[in-house]
Amino acid sequence: MSVLIEVCIDSLESLPIAQRAGAGRIELCSSLATGGLTASAGYMKHAARIATVPVYGIIRPREGDFLYSSDDVDIMLEDIHTAKLAGLNGVVIGALGADGKIDEVAVKAMINAASGMGITFHRAIDHCSAPFEALEFLMAHGVERVLTSGLAKRADEGINTLKDMVKLTQGRLSIMPGAGVSPENAKRIIVETGATEIHLSGKTTRPSLMSYRNEKATMGSGESDFAITVTNPDTILHMVAALQ
């Protein structure tokens, strides 16, 4: 059985690294440290231009929960339009109501906006109060796949739920395990769940090429602005080997 490896990235630098190492699809993000946010228009365009595998852009306007205001939804619809114009192959979407059930109105609007593109529903499913009901809705509306940890912190801890999801959706929608996936646990996850694709970042850091550094000032909550996050090709290569 062939297993597709999706790699999530948050820089253009990582895209060719992930492709060369064996990624079969790219999830294009900014800010992986916050779970992945929508990429800029320029980033989308350049990714589409250099990609040799399908690229799906996450549509997530902010970090935090998946309860979105009408303004948030308007932003996401505009971002889907931007992704389509940029030439991306698909989008990664999700929205919930305050009760934890899928926000059918918002998700339908995003699906309609993405007409002609592939659609993944992201890990909002793992915060959903009725995940199997949500899967039925997503299958009925032509969503290709769901990225999920099986409602657990890590996919290897959610194997039983992932297996039930695969059993329910087989032939109609792909369940893609993600979160805490590594070359060490990927084969077990695939074998025990029956999934045919898997998701990881495989990220590491590289040192900045700047010779001048003011370490006192930082732009965010990280320890240093001089450690640049990139895809680790060795992790992806080991994943490919582990799944063969």
Side-chain angles (χ1 to χ4, degrees):
M1 178 181 67
S2 177
V3 179
L4 185 143
I5 300 170
E6 178 179 275
V7 178
C8 55
I9 65 171
D10 64 2
S11 72
L12 195 68
E13 177 182 353
S14 289
L15 200 159
I17 295 172
Q19 288 182 155
R20 287 194 298 267
R25 185 171 56 243
I26 298 294
E27 183 189 73
L28 196 72
C29 308
S30 64
S31 189
L32 281 179
T34 60
L37 301 178
T38 307
S40 70
Y43 180 17
M44 289 184 189
K45 289 178 182 178
H46 280 274
R49 190 175 301 149
I50 70 171
T52 58
V53 299
V55 178
Y56 281 47
I58 194 168
I59 305 298
R60 186 176 177 224
R62 57 162 174 78
E63 61 182 291
D65 66 23
F66 303 103
L67 176 61
Y68 294 117
S69 68
S70 59
D71 287 337
D72 289 330
V73 174
D74 286 344
I75 290 169
M76 290 191 285
L77 295 176
E78 289 285 350
D79 286 339
I80 291 170
H81 181 64
T82 298
K84 186 178 289 189
L85 290 179
L88 297 192
N89 303 94
V91 289
V92 184
I93 64 171
L96 302 175
D99 60 358
K101 292 187 177 182
I102 195 167
D103 183 339
E104 295 187 2
V105 173
V107 173
K108 279 182 185 178
M110 286 188 271
I111 290 170
N112 289 337
S115 177
M117 305 178 79
I119 300 175
T120 300
F121 192 88
H122 58 50
R123 290 193 61 212
I125 195 79
D126 294 321
H127 290 273
C128 186
S129 60
F132 288 88
E133 180 182 304
L135 290 175
E136 293 287 0
F137 171 84
L138 296 171
M139 287 188 286
H141 288 82
V143 171
E144 288 179 297
R145 72 186 55 79
V146 171
L147 170 61
T148 172
S149 62
L151 315 186
K153 185 174 182 180
R154 299 164 48 95
D156 57 354
E157 296 171 357
I159 282 178
N160 289 336
T161 300
L162 288 166
K163 184 177 180 179
D164 289 342
M165 288 177 164
V166 170
K167 184 176 180 181
L168 173 70
T169 60
Q170 200 160 33
R172 294 188 289 164
L173 178 151
S174 176
I175 297 297
M176 180 168 60
V181 170
S182 69
E184 290 70 37
N185 63 23
K187 186 172 183 179
R188 175 180 167 236
I189 292 169
I190 290 294
V191 168
E192 295 191 21
T193 65
T196 58
E197 48 189 324
I198 202 159
H199 171 101
L200 78 162
S201 66
K203 64 181 183 290
T204 186
T205 59
R206 66 160 176 83
S208 168
L209 301 179
M210 291 189 69
S211 56
Y212 172 77
R213 301 186 181 194
N214 177 10
E215 296 280 7
K216 296 178 182 178
T218 58
M219 293 295 292
S221 58
E223 292 183 4
S224 173
D225 293 332
F226 302 100
I228 312 300
T229 300
V230 291
T231 300
N232 184 344
D234 290 338
T235 300
I236 310 306
L237 287 166
H238 290 154
M239 177 72 80
V240 172
L243 293 173
Q244 285 180 343

